[in-house]
Amino acid sequence: MHQKFSHRAQVLKSSAIREILKVTEQPDIISFAGGLPAPDAFPLTEIKTATDTVLQSKDIYGALQYGPTEGYAPLRQWIADYLSARDQTAVKPAQVLIVTGSQQALDLIGKMLIDSDDKVLVETPTYLGALQAFNQYAPEYIAIESDSEGLKPETISDDVAAEAKFLYTIPNFQNPTGRRLTESRRQTLVAKAKHNHLILVEDDPYGDLDYQGHRLPCLYSLAPENTIYLGSFSKILTPGLRLGFIVASEQFIGKLVQLKQAADLHTPSLTQYIAYQVLSKNNFLTHHIPKIREIYAKRCQYMLDSLKRYMPRQVHWNQPEGGMFIWVELPENINATELLSDAISQKVAFVPGETFYAHAEKTNCFRLAFVTVPEEKIERGIKILAEMINHRIHHLQEKTVMM
Ligand SMILES: Cc1ncc(COP(=O)(O)O)c(C=O)c1O
């Protein structure tokens, strides 16, 4: 039957890479593809105890009932207090909206700000899930040049900044590159945003995962008037709770509340109550976050060591200071999407870089996620990839000589 899909639904495409990556769920594949947090860092005992507490307390009816769209008041208060202390900035609970994962925040922000053909500034590369969320509202993306220190704010002209609806950025341990925006670039970006009334959408799910515990100021703390800040509990508690939050001016929050009401009324009450129980006990995050950092830093180092040991000298990668990803750059003429098809036949997977570009402008790079892979598999997987890349480099060199 002919389906009467809306234009918006018709233009959605299932990515070819997603199809390939379905294979990576097979147990015998060494997958560096999924950007999942490590289950061994989940606070199982605390979540179990908190769930029992909620279910046995008089709060049970609140936890099982419809709740306010803005979110569970004690959790909003907790978030406001946490951010005010962590970032030395004043956040009021009225500026906090709890969302069903920060992915929902991206969709709501797209709905709130983008009319078709509006200009949206993005990093190169950027988070695929943000492109998917914004694509529904048909913006025109302007790709901002980026390097190992993050986006280059000096390349954004005042005209472009003034005309754009917003700039979307992940300043800390970016997905997909693992890069962190330097402090001086943060200052330059914020000055540009203030000067041109540019809205900054700061997506920060990895900010707490700096291995050395050395935070850089968030854009929100530098320019609260210009910034919509997105936080997530997926990487510091568990993603299954589906809890994230938006911090912004009350004017933005009011509009986002209206949009969220239409989308899902509110984020599940039960998970908000459970998260609040966990977070509010004995400064939970001050003990828990260092444990996650330790696990992630160790696996990151293991992968860096394996890359160093096996990769040919023509291959380059970054040394992340936090987060879950390493970005690998191949010689120009090696296509990472083609490499993936071969890698899968040898039971190794990664995400090719071109999916993370608004205009698919680069094909010789890929993302490695290391936190869910046991150490012996990290080494084996990298060795297999390195052999394949080496083979391609030699093949290309032979071709050049023959020509
Ligand atoms: C940069 C970025 N933003 C948002 C999300 C979505 O996270 P959440 O689980 O909070 O919806 C992710 C998930 O991986 C991400 O990497």
Side-chain angles (χ1 to χ4, degrees):
M1 196 177 92
H2 175 67
Q3 302 295 347
K4 296 179 180 172
F5 287 131
S6 67
H7 180 66
R8 185 180 305 113
Q10 279 174 35
V11 296
L12 293 180
K13 280 188 284 205
S14 163
S15 115
I17 283 148
R18 268 193 189 269
E19 296 304 313
I20 305 173
L21 291 177
K22 280 187 189 155
V23 193
T24 65
E25 279 149 31
Q26 292 166 5
D28 56 341
I29 291 251
I30 301 176
S31 180
F32 303 129
L36 311 180
D40 47 337
F42 292 168
L44 290 188
T45 314
E46 289 82 355
I47 287 182
K48 193 166 175 299
T49 310
T51 307
D52 288 346
T53 307
V54 170
L55 295 179
Q56 284 159 22
S57 80
K58 62 178 175 12
D59 278 346
I60 180 157
Y61 293 106
L64 298 179
Q65 188 52 282
Y66 284 118
T69 304
E70 289 83 348
Y72 178 44
L75 183 59
R76 293 172 79 204
Q77 178 75 54
W78 183 92
I79 291 166
D81 293 345
Y82 178 69
L83 296 186
S84 300
R86 189 192 70 182
D87 301 323
Q88 283 130 46
T89 184
V91 176
K92 292 186 285 187
Q95 292 175 269
V96 179
L97 168 62
I98 312 280
V99 284
T100 311
S102 55
Q103 188 65 34
Q104 182 180 48
L106 296 169
D107 178 44
L108 296 179
I109 288 167
K111 229 177 241 167
M112 174 171 74
L113 295 176
I114 305 173
D115 289 313
S116 62
D117 300 327
D118 276 350
K119 295 189 170 50
V120 170
L121 311 186
V122 290
E123 295 164 278
T124 44
T126 189
Y127 170 52
L128 172 62
L131 294 176
Q132 285 172 325
F134 301 152
N135 281 350
Q136 301 173 85
Y137 310 105
E140 180 194 330
Y141 292 112
I142 300 191
I144 306 300
E145 219 181 293
S146 312
D147 64 12
S148 60
E149 298 187 345
L151 67 84
K152 293 181 172 174
E154 71 281 6
T155 65
I156 309 170
S157 73
D158 283 341
D159 287 350
V160 167
E163 206 194 339
K165 267 299 173 73
F166 63 90
L167 178 147
Y168 169 72
T169 178
I170 309 146
N172 294 314
F173 321 119
Q174 198 229 28
N175 185 359
T177 61
R179 292 170 185 161
R180 168 150 74 167
L181 187 66
T182 58
E183 186 155 0
S184 70
R185 287 196 186 177
R186 286 173 200 236
Q187 299 287 359
T188 312
L189 176 61
V190 157
K192 188 151 293 252
K194 286 182 178 168
H195 186 247
N196 296 292
H197 305 289
L198 171 66
I199 299 167
L200 304 174
V201 175
E202 178 179 27
D203 190 4
D204 193 25
Y206 307 104
D208 282 317
L209 305 181
D210 51 315
Y211 306 150
Q212 303 302 321
H214 168 59
R215 265 194 90 75
L216 295 181
C218 62
L219 304 176
Y220 182 82
S221 69
L222 301 173
E225 296 290 313
N226 290 73
T227 309
I228 302 177
Y229 178 89
L230 314 188
S232 172
F233 290 112
S234 292
K235 311 295 177 337
I236 51 174
L237 289 179
T238 76
L241 292 169
R242 302 309 303 128
L243 285 177
F245 53 89
I246 305 178
V247 176
S249 68
E250 289 181 51
Q251 208 186 356
F252 277 139
I253 294 294
K255 191 48 78 184
L256 289 162
V257 167
Q258 291 170 346
L259 292 163
K260 180 169 166 67
Q261 222 158 44
D264 67 351
L265 297 181
H266 64 85
T267 295
S269 309
L270 185 58
T271 57
Q272 294 188 67
Y273 276 62
I274 292 169
Y276 174 69
Q277 273 299 323
V278 175
L279 294 163
S280 60
K281 272 218 178 119
N282 310 324
N283 286 325
F284 171 73
L285 287 184
T286 41
H287 316 291
H288 185 60
I289 287 175
K291 286 188 203 158
I292 310 176
R293 286 179 183 147
E294 197 184 321
I295 297 173
Y296 286 16
K298 203 162 156 244
R299 288 189 191 148
C300 181
Q301 194 53 52
Y302 204 82
M303 184 169 265
L304 290 171
D305 291 346
S306 301
L307 286 164
K308 197 165 164 209
R309 189 167 317 133
Y310 297 111
M311 280 293 167
R313 63 179 167 75
Q314 297 91 333
V315 177
H316 303 283
W317 58 91
N318 60 325
Q319 314 263 333
E321 296 171 292
M324 307 181 1
F325 307 111
I326 294 176
W327 188 245
V328 181
E329 304 229 7
L330 300 167
E332 291 255 312
N333 39 13
I334 299 188
N335 181 304
T337 305
E338 288 168 19
L339 185 72
L340 176 65
S341 307
D342 286 359
I344 285 187
S345 65
Q346 302 219 30
K347 308 273 183 209
V348 184
F350 54 82
V351 186
E354 67 182 291
T355 60
F356 299 106
Y357 287 88
H359 305 298
E361 51 267 58
K362 241 183 136 178
T363 53
N364 64 323
C365 38
F366 60 87
R367 185 190 79 177
L368 293 172
F370 46 83
V371 304
T372 50
V373 190
E375 288 176 4
E376 72 285 358
K377 284 196 174 176
I378 291 182
E379 175 161 13
R380 189 144 40 96
I382 295 296
K383 188 163 182 253
I384 292 171
L385 280 183
E387 279 162 8
M388 289 174 51
I389 294 167
N390 223 343
H391 182 76
R392 276 172 194 245
I393 291 174
H394 279 121
H395 183 68
L396 286 168
Q397 279 168 348
E398 275 165 22
K399 256 173 66 178
T400 321
V401 171
M402 276 162 64
M403 275 160 39

